[in-house]
Coordinates of all heavy atoms in Angstrom, one line a residue:
M1 N 6.3 10.7 33.2 CA 5.3 9.9 32.5 C 5.7 9.7 31.1 O 5.5 8.6 30.6 CB 3.9 10.7 32.6 CG 2.8 9.9 32.1 SD 2.5 8.6 33.4 CE 1.0 8.0 32.8
N2 N 6.4 10.6 30.5 CA 6.9 10.5 29.1 C 7.9 9.3 29.1 O 7.9 8.6 28.1 CB 7.5 11.8 28.6 CG 7.7 11.8 27.1 OD1 7.1 11.0 26.4 ND2 8.4 12.7 26.7
A3 N 8.8 9.2 30.1 CA 9.8 8.2 30.1 C 9.1 6.8 30.2 O 9.6 5.8 29.6 CB 10.7 8.4 31.3
I4 N 8.0 6.7 31.0 CA 7.3 5.5 31.1 C 6.7 5.1 29.8 O 6.7 3.9 29.4 CB 6.2 5.6 32.2 CG1 6.9 5.7 33.6 CG2 5.3 4.4 32.2 CD1 6.0 6.0 34.7
N5 N 6.1 6.0 29.1 CA 5.5 5.8 27.8 C 6.6 5.2 26.8 O 6.3 4.3 26.0 CB 4.9 7.0 27.2 CG 3.6 7.3 27.9 OD1 3.0 6.5 28.5 ND2 3.1 8.6 27.8
R6 N 7.8 5.8 26.8 CA 8.8 5.4 25.9 C 9.3 3.9 26.3 O 9.5 3.1 25.4 CB 10.0 6.3 26.0 CG 9.9 7.6 25.3 CD 11.1 8.4 25.3 NE 10.9 9.7 24.6 CZ 11.8 10.6 24.6 NH1 13.0 10.5 25.1 NH2 11.5 11.7 24.0
L7 N 9.4 3.7 27.6 CA 9.8 2.3 28.0 C 8.7 1.3 27.6 O 9.0 0.2 27.1 CB 10.0 2.2 29.5 CG 11.3 2.9 30.0 CD1 11.3 2.9 31.5 CD2 12.5 2.1 29.4
V8 N 7.4 1.6 27.7 CA 6.4 0.7 27.3 C 6.4 0.5 25.8 O 6.3 -0.6 25.3 CB 5.0 1.2 27.8 CG1 3.9 0.5 27.2 CG2 4.9 1.2 29.3
S9 N 6.6 1.6 25.1 CA 6.7 1.5 23.6 C 7.8 0.6 23.2 O 7.7 -0.2 22.3 CB 6.8 2.9 23.0 OG 5.7 3.6 23.2
L10 N 9.0 0.8 23.8 CA 10.2 0.0 23.4 C 9.9 -1.5 23.8 O 10.3 -2.4 23.1 CB 11.4 0.5 24.2 CG 12.0 1.8 23.6 CD1 13.1 2.3 24.5 CD2 12.5 1.6 22.2
F11 N 9.3 -1.7 24.9 CA 9.0 -3.1 25.4 C 8.1 -3.7 24.4 O 8.3 -4.9 24.0 CB 8.4 -3.1 26.8 CG 8.0 -4.4 27.3 CD1 9.0 -5.3 27.6 CD2 6.7 -4.8 27.3 CE1 8.6 -6.6 28.1 CE2 6.3 -6.1 27.8 CZ 7.3 -7.0 28.1
L12 N 7.0 -3.0 23.9 CA 6.1 -3.6 23.0 C 6.7 -3.8 21.6 O 6.5 -4.9 21.0 CB 4.9 -2.7 22.8 CG 3.9 -2.6 24.0 CD1 2.8 -1.6 23.8 CD2 3.3 -4.0 24.3
L13 N 7.6 -2.9 21.2 CA 8.4 -3.1 20.0 C 9.3 -4.4 20.1 O 9.3 -5.2 19.1 CB 9.2 -1.9 19.6 CG 10.0 -1.9 18.4 CD1 9.1 -2.1 17.2 CD2 10.9 -0.7 18.3
L14 N 9.9 -4.5 21.2 CA 10.8 -5.7 21.4 C 10.0 -7.0 21.4 O 10.4 -8.0 20.7 CB 11.5 -5.6 22.7 CG 12.5 -6.7 23.1 CD1 13.6 -6.8 22.1 CD2 13.0 -6.6 24.5
I15 N 8.8 -7.0 22.0 CA 7.9 -8.2 22.0 C 7.5 -8.5 20.6 O 7.5 -9.6 20.1 CB 6.7 -8.0 22.9 CG1 7.2 -7.9 24.4 CG2 5.7 -9.0 22.8 CD1 7.8 -9.1 24.9
A16 N 7.1 -7.4 19.8 CA 6.7 -7.6 18.4 C 7.8 -8.2 17.6 O 7.6 -9.1 16.7 CB 6.2 -6.3 17.8
L17 N 9.0 -7.7 17.8 CA 10.2 -8.2 17.0 C 10.5 -9.7 17.4 O 10.8 -10.5 16.5 CB 11.4 -7.3 17.2 CG 11.4 -6.0 16.6 CD1 12.6 -5.1 17.0 CD2 11.3 -6.1 15.1
I18 N 10.4 -10.0 18.6 CA 10.6 -11.4 19.1 C 9.6 -12.3 18.5 O 9.9 -13.4 17.9 CB 10.6 -11.5 20.6 CG1 11.9 -10.8 21.2 CG2 10.5 -12.9 21.1 CD1 11.9 -10.7 22.7
F19 N 8.3 -11.9 18.5 CA 7.2 -12.8 17.9 C 7.4 -12.9 16.4 O 7.1 -13.9 15.8 CB 5.9 -12.3 18.3 CG 5.4 -12.7 19.6 CD1 5.0 -11.8 20.6 CD2 5.3 -14.1 20.0 CE1 4.6 -12.2 21.9 CE2 4.9 -14.5 21.2 CZ 4.6 -13.5 22.2
G20 N 7.8 -11.8 15.8 CA 8.0 -11.8 14.3 C 9.1 -12.8 13.9 O 9.0 -13.5 13.0
A21 N 10.2 -12.7 14.7 CA 11.4 -13.6 14.4 C 11.0 -15.0 14.7 O 11.3 -16.0 13.9 CB 12.6 -13.2 15.3
W22 N 10.2 -15.3 15.8 CA 9.8 -16.6 16.1 C 8.9 -17.2 15.0 O 9.0 -18.3 14.6 CB 9.1 -16.6 17.4 CG 8.6 -17.9 18.0 CD1 9.0 -19.1 17.6 CD2 7.7 -18.1 19.1 NE1 8.3 -20.1 18.3 CE2 7.6 -19.5 19.3 CE3 7.0 -17.2 19.9 CZ2 6.7 -20.0 20.3 CZ3 6.2 -17.7 20.9 CH2 6.1 -19.1 21.1
F23 N 7.9 -16.3 14.5 CA 7.0 -16.7 13.5 C 7.8 -17.1 12.2 O 7.5 -18.0 11.5 CB 6.0 -15.6 13.2 CG 5.0 -15.9 12.2 CD1 3.9 -16.7 12.5 CD2 5.1 -15.4 10.9 CE1 2.9 -17.0 11.6 CE2 4.1 -15.7 10.0 CZ 3.0 -16.5 10.3
G24 N 8.7 -16.2 11.9 CA 9.6 -16.5 10.7 C 10.4 -17.8 10.8 O 10.6 -18.5 9.8
W25 N 10.9 -18.0 12.0 CA 11.7 -19.2 12.2 C 10.8 -20.5 12.1 O 11.3 -21.5 11.6 CB 12.3 -19.1 13.6 CG 13.3 -20.3 13.9 CD1 13.0 -21.4 14.6 CD2 14.6 -20.4 13.4 NE1 14.1 -22.2 14.6 CE2 15.1 -21.6 13.9 CE3 15.4 -19.6 12.7 CZ2 16.4 -22.0 13.6 CZ3 16.7 -20.0 12.4 CH2 17.2 -21.2 12.9
D26 N 9.6 -20.4 12.6 CA 8.7 -21.6 12.6 C 8.1 -21.9 11.2 O 7.6 -22.9 11.0 CB 7.6 -21.5 13.6 CG 8.0 -21.8 15.0 OD1 9.1 -22.4 15.2 OD2 7.3 -21.5 15.9
N27 N 8.2 -20.9 10.3 CA 7.6 -21.0 9.0 C 8.6 -20.8 7.9 O 8.6 -19.9 7.2 CB 6.4 -20.0 8.8 CG 5.3 -20.3 9.8 OD1 4.6 -21.3 9.6 ND2 5.1 -19.4 10.7
Q28 N 9.5 -21.8 7.8 CA 10.6 -21.7 6.8 C 10.4 -22.4 5.5 O 11.2 -22.5 4.7 CB 11.9 -22.1 7.5 CG 12.4 -21.3 8.6 CD 13.8 -21.7 9.1 OE1 14.4 -22.6 8.6 NE2 14.2 -21.0 10.1
T29 N 9.2 -22.9 5.3 CA 8.9 -23.6 4.1 C 8.9 -22.6 2.9 O 8.3 -21.6 3.0 CB 7.4 -24.2 4.2 OG1 7.3 -25.0 5.3 CG2 7.1 -25.0 2.9
P30 N 9.7 -22.9 1.9 CA 9.8 -22.0 0.8 C 8.5 -21.9 0.0 O 7.8 -22.9 -0.3 CB 10.9 -22.5 -0.1 CG 11.2 -23.9 0.4 CD 10.6 -24.1 1.7
L31 N 8.2 -20.7 -0.5 CA 7.0 -20.5 -1.3 C 7.4 -19.8 -2.6 O 8.3 -18.9 -2.6 CB 6.0 -19.5 -0.6 CG 5.3 -20.0 0.6 CD1 4.4 -18.9 1.2 CD2 4.4 -21.2 0.2
M32 N 6.8 -20.1 -3.6 CA 7.0 -19.4 -4.9 C 5.7 -18.6 -5.2 O 4.6 -19.2 -5.3 CB 7.2 -20.4 -6.0 CG 7.5 -19.8 -7.3 SD 9.2 -19.1 -7.3 CE 9.6 -19.5 -9.0
L33 N 5.8 -17.3 -5.2 CA 4.6 -16.5 -5.3 C 4.5 -16.0 -6.8 O 5.5 -15.7 -7.4 CB 4.7 -15.3 -4.4 CG 4.7 -15.6 -2.9 CD1 4.9 -14.3 -2.1 CD2 3.4 -16.3 -2.5
H34 N 3.3 -15.9 -7.3 CA 3.0 -15.4 -8.6 C 2.1 -14.2 -8.4 O 0.9 -14.3 -7.9 CB 2.2 -16.5 -9.4 CG 3.0 -17.8 -9.5 ND1 4.0 -18.0 -10.4 CD2 2.8 -18.9 -8.8 CE1 4.5 -19.2 -10.2 NE2 3.7 -19.8 -9.3
V35 N 2.5 -13.0 -8.8 CA 1.8 -11.8 -8.6 C 1.6 -11.2 -10.0 O 2.6 -10.8 -10.6 CB 2.5 -10.8 -7.7 CG1 1.8 -9.6 -7.5 CG2 2.8 -11.5 -6.3
F36 N 0.4 -11.0 -10.4 CA 0.0 -10.4 -11.7 C 0.8 -11.0 -12.8 O 1.3 -10.3 -13.7 CB 0.2 -8.9 -11.6 CG -0.6 -8.2 -10.5 CD1 0.0 -7.6 -9.5 CD2 -2.0 -8.3 -10.5 CE1 -0.7 -7.0 -8.5 CE2 -2.7 -7.7 -9.5 CZ -2.1 -7.0 -8.5
G37 N 1.0 -12.3 -12.8 CA 1.6 -13.0 -13.9 C 3.2 -13.0 -13.8 O 3.8 -13.6 -14.7
Y38 N 3.7 -12.4 -12.8 CA 5.2 -12.4 -12.6 C 5.5 -13.4 -11.5 O 4.8 -13.5 -10.5 CB 5.7 -11.0 -12.2 CG 5.5 -10.0 -13.3 CD1 4.5 -9.0 -13.2 CD2 6.3 -10.0 -14.4 CE1 4.3 -8.1 -14.1 CE2 6.2 -9.0 -15.4 CZ 5.2 -8.1 -15.2 OH 5.0 -7.1 -16.2
D39 N 6.6 -14.2 -11.7 CA 7.0 -15.1 -10.7 C 8.1 -14.4 -9.8 O 9.1 -13.9 -10.3 CB 7.7 -16.3 -11.4 CG 6.7 -17.2 -12.1 OD1 5.5 -17.1 -11.8 OD2 7.2 -17.8 -13.1
L40 N 7.8 -14.3 -8.5 CA 8.7 -13.7 -7.6 C 9.7 -14.8 -7.1 O 9.4 -16.0 -7.1 CB 7.9 -13.1 -6.4 CG 6.9 -12.0 -6.8 CD1 6.2 -11.6 -5.5 CD2 7.6 -10.9 -7.4
P41 N 10.8 -14.3 -6.6 CA 11.8 -15.3 -6.1 C 11.2 -16.1 -4.9 O 10.3 -15.6 -4.2 CB 12.9 -14.5 -5.6 CG 12.7 -13.1 -6.0 CD 11.3 -13.0 -6.5
S42 N 11.7 -17.3 -4.7 CA 11.2 -18.1 -3.6 C 11.6 -17.5 -2.2 O 12.8 -17.2 -2.0 CB 11.8 -19.5 -3.8 OG 11.4 -20.3 -2.7
V43 N 10.6 -17.4 -1.4 CA 10.9 -16.9 0.0 C 10.2 -17.8 1.0 O 9.3 -18.6 0.6 CB 10.3 -15.4 0.2 CG1 11.1 -14.5 -0.7 CG2 8.9 -15.4 -0.1
S44 N 10.6 -17.7 2.2 CA 10.0 -18.6 3.2 C 8.5 -18.1 3.5 O 8.2 -16.9 3.3 CB 10.8 -18.6 4.5 OG 10.7 -17.4 5.2
A45 N 7.7 -19.0 4.0 CA 6.3 -18.7 4.2 C 6.2 -17.6 5.3 O 5.3 -16.7 5.2 CB 5.6 -20.0 4.7
G46 N 7.0 -17.6 6.3 CA 6.9 -16.6 7.4 C 7.2 -15.2 6.8 O 6.6 -14.3 7.2
V47 N 8.3 -15.1 6.0 CA 8.6 -13.8 5.4 C 7.5 -13.4 4.5 O 7.1 -12.2 4.5 CB 9.9 -13.9 4.6 CG1 10.2 -12.7 3.8 CG2 11.1 -14.2 5.6
A48 N 6.9 -14.3 3.7 CA 5.8 -13.9 2.8 C 4.6 -13.3 3.6 O 4.0 -12.3 3.2 CB 5.4 -15.0 1.9
I49 N 4.2 -14.0 4.7 CA 3.1 -13.6 5.5 C 3.4 -12.3 6.2 O 2.5 -11.4 6.2 CB 2.7 -14.7 6.5 CG1 2.2 -15.9 5.7 CG2 1.7 -14.2 7.5 CD1 2.0 -17.2 6.5
L50 N 4.6 -12.1 6.7 CA 4.9 -10.9 7.4 C 5.0 -9.7 6.4 O 4.6 -8.6 6.8 CB 6.3 -11.0 8.2 CG 6.2 -11.9 9.4 CD1 7.6 -12.1 10.0 CD2 5.3 -11.3 10.5
M51 N 5.5 -9.9 5.2 CA 5.5 -8.9 4.2 C 4.1 -8.5 3.8 O 3.8 -7.3 3.6 CB 6.3 -9.3 3.0 CG 7.8 -9.4 3.2 SD 8.5 -7.8 3.9 CE 8.3 -6.8 2.5
A52 N 3.2 -9.5 3.7 CA 1.8 -9.2 3.4 C 1.1 -8.4 4.5 O 0.4 -7.4 4.2 CB 1.0 -10.5 3.2
L53 N 1.5 -8.7 5.7 CA 1.0 -8.0 6.9 C 1.5 -6.5 6.8 O 0.7 -5.6 7.0 CB 1.4 -8.6 8.2 CG 1.0 -7.9 9.5 CD1 -0.5 -7.8 9.7 CD2 1.7 -8.5 10.7
A54 N 2.8 -6.4 6.6 CA 3.4 -5.0 6.5 C 2.8 -4.2 5.4 O 2.5 -3.0 5.6 CB 4.9 -5.1 6.3
M55 N 2.5 -4.8 4.2 CA 1.9 -4.1 3.1 C 0.5 -3.7 3.5 O 0.0 -2.5 3.2 CB 1.9 -4.9 1.9 CG 3.2 -5.0 1.2 SD 3.3 -5.9 -0.4 CE 1.8 -6.6 -0.7
G56 N -0.3 -4.5 4.2 CA -1.6 -4.2 4.6 C -1.6 -3.0 5.6 O -2.5 -2.1 5.6
V57 N -0.6 -3.0 6.5 CA -0.5 -1.9 7.5 C -0.2 -0.6 6.8 O -0.8 0.4 7.1 CB 0.5 -2.2 8.6 CG1 0.9 -1.0 9.4 CG2 0.1 -3.4 9.5
V58 N 0.7 -0.6 5.8 CA 1.1 0.6 5.1 C -0.1 1.1 4.3 O -0.4 2.3 4.3 CB 2.3 0.3 4.2 CG1 2.5 1.5 3.3 CG2 3.5 0.1 5.1
L59 N -0.8 0.2 3.6 CA -2.0 0.6 2.9 C -3.1 1.2 3.8 O -3.7 2.2 3.4 CB -2.5 -0.5 2.0 CG -1.7 -0.9 0.8 CD1 -2.2 -2.2 0.1 CD2 -1.6 0.2 -0.2
G60 N -3.3 0.5 4.9 CA -4.3 1.0 5.9 C -4.0 2.4 6.4 O -4.8 3.2 6.5
L61 N -2.7 2.6 6.7 CA -2.3 3.9 7.2 C -2.5 5.0 6.1 O -2.8 6.1 6.4 CB -0.8 3.9 7.6 CG -0.6 3.2 9.0 CD1 0.9 3.1 9.3 CD2 -1.3 4.0 10.1
G62 N -2.2 4.6 4.8 CA -2.4 5.5 3.7 C -3.8 6.0 3.6 O -4.1 7.1 3.4
V63 N -4.7 5.0 3.7 CA -6.2 5.3 3.6 C -6.6 6.2 4.8 O -7.4 7.1 4.6 CB -7.0 4.0 3.5 CG1 -8.5 4.3 3.6 CG2 -6.7 3.3 2.2
A64 N -6.1 5.8 5.9 CA -6.4 6.6 7.1 C -5.9 8.1 7.0 O -6.6 9.0 7.4 CB -5.9 6.0 8.4
Q65 N -4.7 8.2 6.4 CA -4.2 9.6 6.3 C -5.0 10.4 5.3 O -5.2 11.6 5.5 CB -2.7 9.5 5.8 CG -1.8 9.1 6.9 CD -1.7 10.1 8.0 OE1 -1.8 11.3 7.8 NE2 -1.7 9.5 9.2
F66 N -5.5 9.7 4.3 CA -6.4 10.4 3.3 C -7.6 10.9 4.0 O -8.1 12.1 3.8 CB -6.7 9.5 2.1 CG -7.6 10.1 1.1 CD1 -7.2 11.1 0.3 CD2 -9.0 9.7 1.0 CE1 -8.1 11.7 -0.6 CE2 -9.8 10.3 0.1 CZ -9.4 11.3 -0.7
S67 N -8.2 10.1 4.8 CA -9.5 10.4 5.5 C -9.1 11.6 6.5 O -9.9 12.5 6.7 CB -10.0 9.2 6.3 OG -10.4 8.2 5.3
L68 N -8.0 11.4 7.2 CA -7.6 12.5 8.2 C -7.4 13.8 7.5 O -7.7 14.8 8.0 CB -6.4 12.0 8.9 CG -5.9 12.9 10.0 CD1 -6.9 13.0 11.1 CD2 -4.6 12.4 10.6
Y69 N -6.8 13.8 6.3 CA -6.6 15.0 5.5 C -7.9 15.7 5.2 O -8.0 16.9 5.4 CB -5.8 14.7 4.3 CG -5.5 15.9 3.4 CD1 -4.6 16.9 3.8 CD2 -6.2 16.0 2.2 CE1 -4.4 18.0 3.0 CE2 -6.0 17.2 1.4 CZ -5.1 18.1 1.8 OH -4.8 19.2 1.0
R70 N -8.9 14.9 4.8 CA -10.2 15.5 4.5 C -10.8 16.1 5.8 O -11.5 17.1 5.7 CB -11.1 14.4 3.9 CG -10.8 14.0 2.5 CD -11.7 13.0 1.9 NE -13.1 13.1 2.3 CZ -13.9 12.1 2.4 NH1 -13.6 10.9 2.1 NH2 -15.2 12.4 2.7
L71 N -10.7 15.4 6.9 CA -11.2 15.9 8.2 C -10.5 17.2 8.6 O -11.1 18.1 9.1 CB -11.1 14.9 9.3 CG -12.1 13.7 9.2 CD1 -11.8 12.7 10.2 CD2 -13.5 14.2 9.3
R72 N -9.2 17.3 8.4 CA -8.5 18.5 8.7 C -9.0 19.7 7.8 O -9.1 20.8 8.4 CB -7.0 18.3 8.5 CG -6.3 17.5 9.6 CD -4.9 17.4 9.3 NE -4.3 16.6 10.4 CZ -3.1 16.0 10.3 NH1 -2.4 16.2 9.2 NH2 -2.6 15.3 11.3
I73 N -9.2 19.5 6.6 CA -9.7 20.5 5.7 C -11.1 21.0 6.2 O -11.4 22.2 6.3 CB -9.8 20.1 4.2 CG1 -8.4 19.9 3.7 CG2 -10.6 21.0 3.4 CD1 -8.4 19.3 2.3
K74 N -12.0 20.1 6.5 CA -13.3 20.4 7.1 C -13.2 21.1 8.4 O -13.9 22.1 8.6 CB -14.1 19.1 7.2 CG -15.5 19.3 7.7 CD -16.4 20.0 6.7 CE -17.8 20.0 7.1 NZ -18.6 20.8 6.2
N75 N -12.3 20.7 9.2 CA -12.1 21.4 10.5 C -11.6 22.8 10.3 O -12.1 23.8 11.0 CB -11.1 20.6 11.3 CG -11.0 21.1 12.8 OD1 -11.9 21.8 13.3 ND2 -9.9 20.8 13.4
R76 N -10.7 23.1 9.4 CA -10.2 24.4 9.1 C -11.4 25.3 8.6 O -11.5 26.4 8.9 CB -9.1 24.3 8.0 CG -8.3 25.6 7.9 CD -7.1 25.5 7.0 NE -6.3 24.2 7.2 CZ -6.0 23.4 6.2 NH1 -6.3 23.7 5.0 NH2 -5.3 22.3 6.5
Q77 N -12.2 24.7 7.7 CA -13.4 25.5 7.2 C -14.3 25.8 8.3 O -14.8 27.0 8.4 CB -14.1 24.6 6.1 CG -13.3 24.5 4.8 CD -14.0 23.5 3.9 OE1 -14.9 22.8 4.3 NE2 -13.6 23.5 2.7
L78 N -14.6 24.9 9.2 CA -15.5 25.2 10.3 C -14.9 26.2 11.3 O -15.7 27.1 11.8 CB -15.8 23.9 11.1 CG -16.7 22.9 10.3 CD1 -16.8 21.6 11.1 CD2 -18.1 23.5 10.1
K79 N -13.6 26.2 11.5 CA -13.0 27.2 12.3 C -13.1 28.6 11.7 O -13.4 29.6 12.4 CB -11.5 26.9 12.6 CG -11.3 25.8 13.6 CD -9.8 25.6 13.8 CE -9.6 24.5 14.8 NZ -8.2 24.3 15.1
K80 N -12.9 28.7 10.4 CA -13.1 30.0 9.7 C -14.5 30.5 9.8 O -14.8 31.6 10.1 CB -12.7 29.9 8.3 CG -11.2 29.8 8.1 CD -10.9 29.7 6.6 CE -9.4 29.5 6.3 NZ -9.1 29.4 4.9
Q81 N -15.5 29.5 9.6 CA -16.9 29.9 9.7 C -17.2 30.3 11.1 O -18.0 31.3 11.3 CB -17.7 28.7 9.3 CG -19.2 29.0 9.3 CD -20.0 27.7 8.9 OE1 -19.4 26.7 8.6 NE2 -21.3 27.8 8.9
L82 N -16.7 29.7 12.1 CA -17.0 30.1 13.5 C -16.4 31.4 13.8 O -17.0 32.3 14.5 CB -16.4 29.0 14.5 CG -16.6 29.3 16.0 CD1 -18.1 29.3 16.3 CD2 -15.9 28.2 16.8
K83 N -15.2 31.7 13.3 CA -14.5 33.0 13.6 C -15.3 34.1 12.9 O -15.5 35.2 13.5 CB -13.1 32.9 13.0 CG -12.3 34.1 13.4 CD -10.9 34.0 12.9 CE -10.0 35.1 13.3 NZ -8.6 35.0 12.9
R84 N -15.8 33.9 11.7 CA -16.7 34.9 11.0 C -18.0 35.1 11.8 O -18.4 36.2 11.9 CB -17.0 34.5 9.6 CG -15.9 34.7 8.6 CD -16.4 34.6 7.2 NE -17.1 33.3 7.0 CZ -16.6 32.2 6.4 NH1 -15.3 32.2 6.0 NH2 -17.3 31.1 6.2
A85 N -18.6 34.1 12.3 CA -19.8 34.2 13.0 C -19.7 34.9 14.3 O -20.6 35.6 14.8 CB -20.5 32.8 13.2
T86 N -18.5 34.7 15.0 CA -18.4 35.3 16.3 C -17.7 36.7 16.2 O -17.6 37.4 17.3 CB -17.5 34.4 17.2 OG1 -16.3 34.2 16.6 CG2 -18.3 33.1 17.5
S87 N -17.3 37.2 15.1 CA -16.7 38.4 15.0 C -17.6 39.6 15.0 O -17.3 40.7 15.2 CB -15.8 38.5 13.7 OG -16.7 38.5 12.5
F88 N -18.9 39.3 14.8 CA -19.9 40.4 14.8 C -20.4 40.6 16.3 O -20.5 39.7 17.1 CB -21.2 40.0 14.0 CG -20.9 39.9 12.6 CD1 -20.9 38.6 12.0 CD2 -20.6 41.0 11.8 CE1 -20.6 38.5 10.6 CE2 -20.3 40.8 10.4 CZ -20.3 39.6 9.8
P89 N -20.6 41.9 16.7 CA -21.1 42.1 18.0 C -22.5 41.5 18.3 O -23.3 41.5 17.4 CB -21.1 43.6 18.1 CG -21.2 44.1 16.7 CD -20.5 43.1 15.9
V90 N -22.6 41.0 19.4 CA -23.9 40.4 19.8 C -24.8 41.4 20.4 O -24.4 42.2 21.3 CB -23.7 39.2 20.9 CG1 -25.0 38.6 21.3 CG2 -22.8 38.2 20.3
T91 N -26.0 41.6 19.8 CA -27.0 42.5 20.3 C -28.1 41.8 20.9 O -28.6 40.8 20.4 CB -27.4 43.5 19.2 OG1 -28.0 42.7 18.2 CG2 -26.3 44.3 18.7
G92 N -28.6 42.3 22.0 CA -29.8 41.6 22.7 C -31.1 42.4 22.4 O -31.1 43.6 22.2
D93 N -32.2 41.7 22.2 CA -33.5 42.4 22.0 C -34.2 42.6 23.2 O -34.3 41.9 24.2 CB -34.3 41.5 21.0 CG -33.7 41.6 19.6 OD1 -33.2 42.7 19.2 OD2 -33.8 40.6 18.9

């Protein structure tokens, strides 16, 4: 099953690369970008859009990692609390 997952992942990566190259090829109009008062070198529209997408993905993963880190800390605290609560012998009335 692990080999099938790898093949599917490689296939999806190949499809994404093909579509990215196709998108870049179809959008070769040069763009001059101005970011925070700075003029960036002229790049094709496809490259500019794909770079914006990549930056959005990286920023989204960063925010998700921050949230995941907070959840891991909370999970660790709850595990410690559960361990303390279950370490006492249970007595019945």
Side-chain angles (χ1 to χ4, degrees):
M1 193 67 169
N2 196 14
I4 293 173
N5 287 340
R6 284 186 183 175
L7 285 175
V8 169
S9 297
L10 286 174
F11 178 73
L12 291 175
L13 179 63
L14 180 64
I15 294 296
L17 289 173
I18 289 171
F19 278 122
W22 184 14
F23 183 79
W25 184 263
D26 279 347
N27 294 293
Q28 292 186 3
T29 306
L31 290 177
M32 184 76 142
L33 298 175
H34 306 280
V35 179
F36 302 118
Y38 295 104
D39 294 334
L40 298 179
S42 178
V43 294
S44 70
V47 170
I49 293 171
L50 288 175
M51 290 303 293
L53 175 67
M55 286 184 353
V57 167
V58 169
L59 287 173
L61 285 174
V63 169
Q65 286 298 318
F66 178 72
S67 298
L68 185 61
Y69 179 70
R70 287 180 39 206
L71 287 174
R72 284 182 181 161
I73 291 172
K74 182 70 173 174
N75 190 19
R76 196 175 313 131
Q77 290 171 347
L78 288 173
K79 282 182 180 180
K80 286 180 183 178
Q81 184 180 357
L82 180 64
K83 189 174 183 180
R84 281 193 309 261
T86 58
S87 65
F88 298 109
V90 178
T91 59
D93 289 326

